[in-house]
Amino acid sequence: MGRGYTTGWLGEIRLLTVAAQMLQEETEQKIKEREATLAERVPPLSMSGLSLQELLDLCKDLHHKIDVVDEERYDTGLKVSKNDQEIDNMNLKIIEIQSKFKKPTLKRVKISAEAMLSVLLGGKHKESFDFKANLKTVKKEEEKKEEVTDWRKNVEAMSGMEGRKKLFDASGN
């Protein structure tokens, strides 16, 4: 087992405890942020010592604020649904376009060089090119064939000192 690495179930337990701690801190942070935004947007109500007319004015003011918030929520909901509908329509158009233009299977076509040049160059192609005329001719070297002779004659010719001298002279040249 390597040193410095947490292995086994102990490492997993440590990892899980760290993750649980981070999750707890994150939820606490979200709760604090929510309380701060609520305190900023909604001031605390103090209804003690208010007359009936002041309470009615407070209720009307709160209803007006609720109506404004509902209008904003409705408008943003409409914008979101409109954008979603546009996205869906664009996706349908993309699928439609992709299904219309399928890549065709290409077929092999045999065409001569002159026909290809006439297609590519159009009316400019008036001369006929002889591509084979420009090629170099290569002569094949004939392999040297050794004559097949009776091996017994060869052994007799190479036997003795004269044969070894012939081999030595032949290899030296």
Side-chain angles (χ1 to χ4, degrees):
M1 300 224 165
R3 292 168 40 148
Y5 296 107
T6 55
T7 58
W9 57 274
L10 286 175
E12 291 174 4
I13 290 175
R14 288 181 188 151
L15 189 63
L16 287 175
T17 55
V18 169
Q21 248 181 346
M22 290 173 67
L23 186 63
Q24 181 67 26
E25 291 173 2
E26 186 177 326
T27 54
E28 290 174 0
Q29 181 68 23
K30 284 183 180 180
I31 290 171
K32 288 178 183 177
E33 287 176 5
R34 184 172 186 269
E35 290 174 356
T37 53
L38 282 176
E40 178 184 318
R41 291 185 181 178
V42 181
L45 285 177
S46 59
M47 294 188 295
S48 62
L50 293 178
S51 67
L52 182 62
Q53 185 62 34
E54 291 174 340
L55 286 174
L56 286 174
D57 290 340
L58 180 64
C59 287
K60 285 180 185 178
D61 187 39
L62 289 176
H63 280 289
H64 179 69
K65 287 182 181 180
I66 289 172
D67 289 341
V68 169
V69 169
D70 279 342
E71 286 176 8
E72 289 177 2
R73 183 177 49 87
Y74 180 76
D75 290 342
T76 55
L78 279 178
K79 287 180 183 178
V80 168
S81 63
K82 183 179 177 183
N83 288 340
D84 286 341
Q85 188 176 11
E86 286 181 15
I87 289 171
D88 290 339
N89 288 339
M90 287 182 183
N91 284 337
L92 287 174
K93 286 181 183 178
I94 289 171
I95 291 170
E96 183 180 320
I97 289 172
Q98 286 177 346
S99 64
K100 281 184 183 177
F101 298 108
K102 291 184 180 177
K103 291 183 180 178
T105 55
L106 300 177
K107 297 177 184 176
R108 183 172 294 273
V109 177
K110 291 184 179 180
I111 188 169
S112 67
E114 289 183 27
M116 187 177 297
L117 282 174
S118 66
V119 168
L120 292 175
L121 299 176
K124 296 178 184 177
H125 175 68
K126 294 180 181 174
E127 301 177 16
S128 64
F129 293 103
D130 187 14
F131 292 108
K132 292 181 181 179
N134 295 334
L135 297 177
K136 294 180 181 178
T137 56
V138 177
K139 295 181 181 178
K140 294 183 180 178
E141 294 182 19
E142 294 182 19
E143 297 178 13
K144 296 180 181 177
K145 295 183 180 179
E146 295 182 15
E147 294 181 20
V148 178
T149 57
D150 190 13
W151 62 273
R152 284 178 237 136
K153 291 181 183 176
N154 196 14
V155 169
E156 289 174 5
M158 294 294 176
S159 64
M161 287 301 278
E162 292 294 321
R164 289 192 178 139
K165 186 177 178 188
K166 287 180 188 174
L167 278 177
F168 181 75
D169 290 339
S171 66
N173 291 338

